[in-house]
């Protein structure tokens, strides 16, 4: 073994951490046996045990002591079971949320944004561009456009200080419903620069239209996440409703004619 | 208008979306004038304008504001409100689902898959690798590993013929619950080749662990979508439980927990 190489147990640790961090080994997965890991890394039990102990100490691996170790929470997942802010979500997973505001501007809406927010021709919006972090690591670029009535509440708010969502809610803004569209996008130059990644890297994108209780659009936003730092998780069950459609006027989402 | 009917603007939206989604109104086609749409749907301008604004917001319709609106690129969304197969989803949006099987193999599970499916050391799985298409356009690469008991039902099934999900369900396999993890990933060489894109292009990735009603893992799968051809959409509402309960005698029916 060359003198410049990291100790074996550290290389095993980093390799296992990378597999878990990338999601290749997802939360809840039972780890291969120590014997299998020894074979894979061509090592004795010592380094493997040391690596597992390190990861267990970090909570990346849980269990063990009689029970087989499994992958713990590592790449934090956001759920859509409730509608929460990045700040609330970060706290819920034990991470410190952070934000740096790159721009707060009032300007005429683009035609796309004007259409989404149902603004008239040349209507203005308040645009906010921020980079959001988890434990100080830049994780997401947030681009939001608010209708004036909502965005004006940001004039006296330090957007670096925390949650816009909490601030606006405290001002009585009814951020009630959202429609999220999720896809993937290549990092542009700005994304790459503020997230510290290469241009063209795949980012997880969430576009969001937020409305009040009456269905009035208040904000359109686009969040771009580094996929190795945050993902989305959804659990569902096979639809147990009968194939016969049951008209239910209270569920206006089932808007099929 | 019957009480169970969706609001007029929504019915107009869905009808226009269906025409565009089905290709009846192809990309680049100039839409009928607002006046013509009002006549056709027997409505005032309000619902027609709201429908056009919604479709414009989604990019289904582009242009407008002075210029005549035209049909844009339609990117169909998958919802997680129910648990459905690619085949069912494709049909629901008026597209013909297709599949080409690149591999059907029985082999020892990788340690990741073995861990997820709770197999013993060296346990075998049935692996299926397919490229899925919408109206003949390669849209998604599907990699699935089934436990033997389930995968053996594929031995006498032509995986090019349609839905594995429907076939397995018809054999009594209880594909009941799934946990989906969604992120983005760069296309590898195989993805790029079968999807006809450049290596490194961002793909929308959905990883899925499917269990039966008793929580037993049956299948682990990874689907990689071209984001310009399919995305995911989720609607949710703010969690209306308030941290501080505010007693309101006039609203005691809305029993907050």
């Amino acid at each position: 073994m060359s003198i410049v190489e990291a100790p074996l147990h550290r290389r095993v640790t980093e390799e296992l951490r990378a597999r878990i961090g990338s999601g290749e080994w997802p939360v809840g997965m039972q780890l291969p046996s120590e014997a299998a890991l020894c074979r894979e890394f061509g090592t004795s039990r010592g380094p493997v045990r040391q690596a597992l102990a390190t990861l267990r100490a970090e909570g990346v691996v849980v269990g063990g002591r009689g029970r087989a170790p499994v992958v713990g929470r590592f790449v934090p997942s956001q759920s859509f079971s409730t509608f929460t802010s990045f700040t609330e979500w970060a706290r819920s997973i034990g991470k410190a949320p952070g934000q740096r505001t790159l721009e707060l501007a009032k300007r005429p809406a683009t035609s796309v944004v004007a259409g989404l927010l149902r603004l008239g021709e040349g209507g203005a919006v308040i645009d906010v561009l921020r980079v959001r972090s988890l434990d100080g690591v830049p994780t997401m670029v947030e681009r939001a456009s608010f209708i004036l009535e909502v965005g004006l509440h940001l004039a006296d708010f330090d957007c670096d200080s925390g949650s816009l969502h909490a601030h606006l809610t405290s001002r009585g803004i009814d951020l009630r419903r959202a429609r999220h569209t999720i896809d993937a996008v290549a990092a542009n130059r700005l994304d790459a620069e503020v997230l510290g990644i290469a241009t063209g890297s795949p980012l997880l994108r969430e576009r969001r239209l937020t409305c009040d209780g009456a269905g009035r659009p208040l904000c359109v936003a686009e969040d771009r996440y580094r996929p190795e730092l945050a993902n989305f998780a959804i659990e569902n069950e096979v639809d147990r409703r009968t194939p016969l459609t049951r008209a239910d006027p209270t569920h206006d989402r089932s808007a099929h004619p």
Side-chain angles (χ1 to χ4, degrees), chain A:
Chain A
M1 197 167 106
S2 148
I3 194 165
V4 296
E5 278 185 310
L8 193 49
H9 71 87
R10 193 170 296 151
R11 288 193 291 132
V12 175
T13 305
E14 289 315 311
E15 175 58 26
L16 298 187
R17 201 205 305 279
R19 289 180 193 177
I20 294 168
S22 70
E24 183 188 337
W25 286 6
V27 177
M29 193 198 92
Q30 189 177 313
L31 264 66
S33 67
E34 287 186 7
L37 292 170
C38 290
R39 277 198 301 280
E40 180 183 346
F41 290 103
T43 173
S44 59
R45 295 226 166 190
V48 164
R49 285 188 174 153
Q50 205 172 340
L52 291 175
T54 301
L55 296 172
R56 201 176 276 124
E58 293 173 5
V60 172
V61 164
V62 295
R65 304 195 171 277
R67 282 180 302 167
V70 299
V71 174
R73 226 169 174 8
F74 189 80
V75 177
S77 291
Q78 261 177 293
S79 148
F80 289 88
S81 59
T82 59
F83 174 131
T84 56
S85 71
F86 181 90
T87 302
E88 285 174 74
W89 169 68
R91 290 192 180 126
S92 76
I93 56 165
K95 304 260 184 194
Q99 49 280 321
R100 186 162 62 88
T101 306
L102 304 176
E103 186 186 74
L104 175 65
K106 178 179 170 178
R107 61 164 66 96
T110 63
S111 63
V112 175
V113 168
L116 276 164
L117 296 177
R118 298 190 207 143
L119 302 177
E121 187 99 28
V125 287
I126 303 294
D127 279 344
V128 182
L129 172 63
R130 301 197 296 177
V131 53
R132 313 298 302 269
S133 57
L134 292 176
D135 286 348
V137 179
T139 300
M140 184 261 276
V141 179
E142 172 189 71
R143 294 166 173 91
S145 298
F146 294 91
I147 63 168
L148 286 188
E149 186 186 323
V150 172
L152 290 175
H153 288 285
L154 301 177
D156 59 346
F157 179 68
D158 175 4
C159 294
D160 280 2
S161 72
S163 172
L164 301 184
H165 184 276
H167 171 70
L168 293 172
T169 301
S170 77
R171 291 289 176 90
I173 306 296
D174 180 23
L175 301 162
R176 180 78 64 91
R177 285 199 192 94
R179 180 182 164 89
H180 312 261
T181 304
I182 296 165
D183 66 2
V185 68
N188 66 23
R189 222 137 50 142
L190 172 72
D191 299 329
E193 189 186 317
V194 300
L195 294 175
I197 56 175
T199 303
S201 301
L203 295 175
L204 175 62
R205 175 165 72 165
E206 180 208 343
R207 284 172 292 176
R208 187 170 61 250
L209 177 64
T210 306
C211 298
D212 65 14
R216 182 183 179 207
L218 304 179
C219 172
V220 51
E222 176 168 334
D223 294 346
R224 297 177 172 209
Y225 290 87
R226 287 182 62 184
E228 68 278 28
L229 298 179
N231 58 35
F232 299 133
I234 294 164
E235 295 195 31
N236 63 5
E237 272 199 33
V238 67
D239 184 8
R240 276 180 281 181
R241 286 176 306 177
T242 60
L244 293 173
T245 310
R246 192 164 56 107
D248 184 346
T250 65
H251 278 74
D252 66 1
R253 272 166 299 178
S254 59
H256 299 292

